[in-house]
């Protein structure tokens, strides 16, 4: 398999060969000339991004280097672990929820929440409450009684109605059941820092009133880029994830993404392929289809990152441009039986990100049973691992024969190190794509408007 030149065996690999015109034809794939043409634009954008990183405009690049923040989440996790809570409940939405959900699905044992405390090695169950469905929230409050639960309310703005309403319900339940003094042992706040230039977070007066442990989300880090801040890292530490390995994974990818040269930078290569296929070949949708259950919620996290960062009405000069690829999440092999019919034979308007895990943690052999059914001989004695690899290969080849462009990403194994590389690469890719589309990657005016209207409808100041 072809890879970008800078990778080592522990690194994830990016292969764009199936999105090239040689694989899928010039109407649907990129020619070497088209790629080369982009090099000056990429280099120029790289210089702008490097300068803005140096100036501190975007903080996401350097979150993994923040030793003080990592130390403080580890210390707090140790402190709260001593209470032996059964449950950790995250209250948050969008960028405040999707990162930890992706980490949990990828790195905790499958069915973690259904295991006994002993099987969970004493770790709490995780519930990420990212909606205001009263039935679900009520049910969570029953399943997670306040005395056995640590809540982590996460909101950068500190004013998101969905999250604050959840918090109010939790505070009332804690006060009623355990008394106001107990709140500091059951509620942790993650929000923007206090400061003269910082917008006012409504979580500050709450934290002050009850003496709550509070984590800062740096002002220059947007919600969807915050997974490596305390937003993702405190719950991750509570769940026993290997934060050091995540920092190392980010560092490894940061190094690979330091180059301005398109062909040597996996994030830039992916950004350019997506940008060219969208703007020149009509691939207005981007499907992310991992072939591993553990990566299912990475596709969900990426969906928000790509949509909210790039879906913009105006460009940086104020012109109405209405850009942005529509991200779609899928799962292999499951969605072969749900989506692939459309993907192969429907409109050729999509690029496919097929994510592969080379070695699963375990192997599962298909037993040599049902021997009376001769037709099952091809499965007997093989492994599920081999079947998954064959299904993936089948989809890759089927998409190719229908002239559908694919970018393939391979993780050697699914662990904290490789996952951090993947997330970090997708963040850098999004930053580069934003420059290519010439939009503000880091704002979300379309979301803010809806928030304001909802507040007004509820009788707030809008
Ligand atoms: O990425 C973003 O900025 C958004 O999705 C936010 O994370 C989301 O709207 C929640 O905002 P807040 O963290 O301020 O409650």
């Amino acid at each position: 398999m072809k890879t970008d030149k800078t990778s080592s065996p522990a690194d994830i690999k990016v292969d764009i060969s199936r999105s090239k015109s040689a694989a899928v034809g010039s109407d649907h794939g990129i020619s070497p000339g088209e790629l080369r043409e982009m090099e000056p634009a990429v280099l120029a954008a790289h210089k702008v991004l490097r300068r803005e990183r140096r100036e501190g405009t975007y903080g996401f690049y350097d979150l993994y280097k923040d030793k003080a923040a990592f130390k403080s989440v580890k210390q707090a996790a140790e402190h709260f672990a001593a209470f032996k809570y059964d449950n950790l409940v995250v209250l948050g939405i969008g960028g405040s929820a999707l990162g930890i959900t992706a980490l949990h699905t990828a790195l905790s044992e499958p069915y973690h929440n259904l295991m006994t405390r002993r099987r969970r090695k004493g770790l709490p169950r995780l519930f990420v409450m990212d909606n205001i469905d009263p039935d679900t929230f009520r049910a969570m409050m029953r399943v997670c009684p306040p005395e056995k639960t640590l809540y982590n309310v996460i909101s950068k703005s500190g004013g998101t109605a969905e999250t604050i309403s959840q918090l109010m319900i939790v505070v009332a339940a804690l006060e009623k059941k355990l008394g106001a003094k107990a709140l500091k042992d059951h509620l942790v706040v993650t929000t923007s820092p206090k400061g003269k230039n910082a917008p006012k977070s409504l979580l500050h007066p709450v934290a002050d009133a009850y003496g709550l442990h509070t984590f800062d989300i740096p002002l220059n880090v947007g919600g969807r880029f915050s997974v490596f801040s305390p937003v993702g890292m405190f719950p991750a530490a509570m769940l026993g994830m290997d934060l050091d390995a995540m920092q190392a994974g980010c560092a490894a990818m940061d190094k690979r993404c330091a180059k301005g040269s398109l062909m040597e930078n996996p994030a830039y290569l992916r950004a350019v392929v997506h940008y060219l296929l969208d703007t020149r070949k009509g691939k207005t949708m981007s499907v992310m289809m991992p072939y591993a259950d553990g990566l299912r919620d990475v596709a969900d996290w990426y969906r928000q990152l790509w949509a909210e960062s790039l879906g913009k009405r105006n460009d940086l000069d104020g012109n109405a441009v209405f850009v942005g690829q529509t991200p779609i999440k899928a799962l292999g092999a499951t969605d072969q039986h749900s989506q692939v019919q459309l993907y192969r034979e429907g409109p050729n308007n999509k690029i496919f990100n097929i994510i592969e895990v080379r070695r699963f943690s375990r192997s599962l052999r298909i037993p040599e049973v049902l021997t009376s059914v001769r037709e099952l001989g091809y499965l007997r004695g093989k492994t599920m691992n081999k079947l998954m690899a064959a299904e993936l290969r089948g989809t890759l080849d089927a998409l190719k024969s229908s002239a559908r462009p694919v970018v393939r990403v391979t993780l050697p194994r699914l662990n904290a190190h490789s996952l951090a590389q993947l997330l970090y690469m997708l963040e850098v890719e999004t930053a580069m794509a934003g420059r290519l589309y010439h939009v503000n990657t880091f704002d979300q005016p379309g979301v803010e408007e809806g928030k304001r209207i909802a507040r007004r409808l509820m009788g707030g100041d809008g």
Side-chain angles (χ1 to χ4, degrees):
M1 187 171 105
K2 283 187 193 145
T3 64
D4 53 293
K5 291 175 202 153
T6 50
S7 63
S8 82
D11 288 343
I12 67 173
K13 294 177 174 42
V14 173
D15 175 10
I16 65 157
S17 61
R18 287 169 185 264
S19 62
K20 288 187 173 167
S21 52
V24 289
S26 56
D27 286 348
H28 303 292
I30 300 163
S31 68
E34 285 170 314
L35 265 186
R36 260 195 317 276
E37 259 173 47
M38 290 299 294
E39 278 176 3
V42 169
L43 193 58
H46 172 72
K47 285 183 182 157
V48 174
L49 291 170
R50 298 303 277 187
R51 175 173 48 75
E52 289 179 331
R53 176 179 181 173
R54 266 197 316 276
E55 291 169 355
T57 315
Y58 318 126
F60 80 90
Y61 284 109
D62 294 311
L63 285 172
Y64 77 90
K65 294 180 179 169
D66 188 342
K67 287 193 184 130
F70 274 82
K71 191 170 164 200
S72 97
V73 296
K74 283 181 189 169
Q75 280 173 348
E78 231 178 273
H79 167 78
F80 286 105
F83 289 86
K84 299 191 179 352
Y85 290 121
D86 277 345
N87 312 299
L88 171 64
V89 174
V90 168
L91 310 174
I93 196 164
S96 296
L98 291 163
I100 183 57
T101 304
L103 296 178
H104 180 56
T105 308
L107 300 179
S108 298
E109 282 287 321
Y111 304 112
H112 171 91
N113 279 7
L114 298 182
M115 291 174 171
T116 60
R117 196 179 166 81
R118 200 156 149 257
R119 284 284 307 277
R120 298 197 312 266
K121 302 193 177 83
L123 298 170
R125 303 184 294 179
L126 176 72
F127 297 85
V128 179
M129 305 311 293
D130 64 350
N131 207 351
I132 42 170
D133 182 315
D135 291 338
T136 316
F137 206 80
R138 232 176 217 289
M140 180 279 290
M141 293 298 285
R142 264 198 313 274
V143 171
C144 305
E147 65 277 13
K148 294 188 172 174
T149 303
L150 177 68
Y151 304 90
N152 182 195
V153 58
I154 307 178
S155 174
K156 183 175 175 203
S157 62
T160 301
E162 294 91 334
T163 305
I164 300 292
S165 66
Q166 295 176 335
L167 174 68
M168 290 162 89
I169 292 166
V170 162
V171 167
L174 282 169
E175 281 194 342
K176 187 167 168 214
K177 200 98 190 241
L178 307 172
K181 283 202 180 122
L183 258 82
K184 64 174 186 354
D185 297 332
H186 288 268
L187 182 55
V188 171
V189 168
T190 307
T191 190
S192 53
K194 282 182 179 170
K196 253 200 280 163
N197 300 324
K200 192 169 155 244
S201 164
L202 301 181
L203 295 177
H204 292 148
V206 180
D208 290 345
Y210 294 102
L212 305 179
H213 193 101
T214 304
F215 291 111
D216 289 343
I217 309 173
L219 285 177
N220 58 1
V221 175
R224 55 191 175 275
F225 288 87
S226 68
V227 61
F228 296 113
S229 79
V231 170
M233 293 298 100
F234 173 64
M238 286 297 300
L239 289 158
M241 293 177 195
D242 187 346
L243 303 199
D244 297 341
M246 281 193 231
Q247 286 177 279
C250 291
M253 185 51 73
D254 189 15
K255 200 165 161 209
R256 290 172 71 190
C257 293
K259 305 203 168 92
S261 142
L262 174 56
M263 300 312 290
E264 290 181 289
N265 185 319
Y268 291 178
L269 198 53
R270 281 182 47 83
V272 163
V273 168
H274 279 76
Y275 173 75
L276 283 177
L277 286 175
D278 177 18
T279 56
R280 299 201 192 163
K281 317 280 166 166
K283 311 301 173 226
T284 56
M285 301 185 191
S286 171
V287 178
M288 179 170 279
M289 190 166 178
Y291 272 73
D293 286 344
L295 293 173
R296 174 198 294 257
D297 290 321
V298 168
D300 207 18
W301 172 86
Y302 176 66
R303 190 171 67 126
Q304 186 216 13
L305 185 72
W306 204 242
E308 232 173 56
S309 302
L310 305 178
K312 296 288 153 72
R313 178 186 196 279
N314 290 338
D315 70 9
L316 289 169
D317 303 320
N319 304 309
V321 286
F322 301 100
V323 296
Q325 249 177 350
T326 302
I328 297 170
K329 57 173 178 168
L331 180 69
T334 307
D335 286 327
Q336 286 180 201
H337 302 269
S338 149
Q339 300 295 299
V340 167
Q341 171 62 34
L342 168 78
Y343 294 165
R344 282 200 65 206
E345 296 189 2
N348 195 341
N349 59 357
K350 300 172 194 66
I351 170 170
F352 296 90
N353 295 280
I354 302 290
I355 319 278
E356 170 186 19
V357 174
R358 187 43 71 84
R359 275 190 69 189
F360 284 84
S361 313
R362 297 177 188 93
S363 174
L364 183 56
R365 190 164 166 276
I366 304 168
E368 302 201 26
V369 292
L370 309 180
T371 45
S372 58
V373 189
R374 194 178 48 83
E375 291 86 341
L376 296 181
Y378 78 103
L379 290 173
R380 274 191 285 271
K382 310 284 170 47
T383 61
M384 221 175 233
N385 312 51
K386 189 169 180 181
L387 180 58
M388 185 67 115
E391 301 262 4
L392 183 146
R393 186 60 202 238
T395 299
L396 281 175
D397 288 353
L399 288 170
K400 186 174 169 189
S401 75
S402 311
R404 313 285 154 144
V406 170
V407 175
R408 183 176 181 180
V409 178
T410 305
L411 279 64
R413 307 182 75 111
L414 179 52
N415 55 30
H417 189 261
S418 65
L419 181 67
Q421 289 181 53
L422 178 64
L423 300 184
Y424 194 91
M425 177 182 75
L426 295 173
E427 289 180 340
V428 177
E429 167 191 340
T430 305
M432 171 51 76
R435 292 301 318 176
L436 298 176
Y437 284 104
H438 197 53
V439 294
N440 185 344
T441 315
F442 301 96
D443 68 359
Q444 54 283 326
V447 181
E448 300 305 335
E449 178 76 11
K451 283 190 188 179
R452 270 196 298 276
I453 294 169
R455 255 202 312 273
R456 211 169 42 232
L457 288 172
M458 290 294 286
D461 60 11

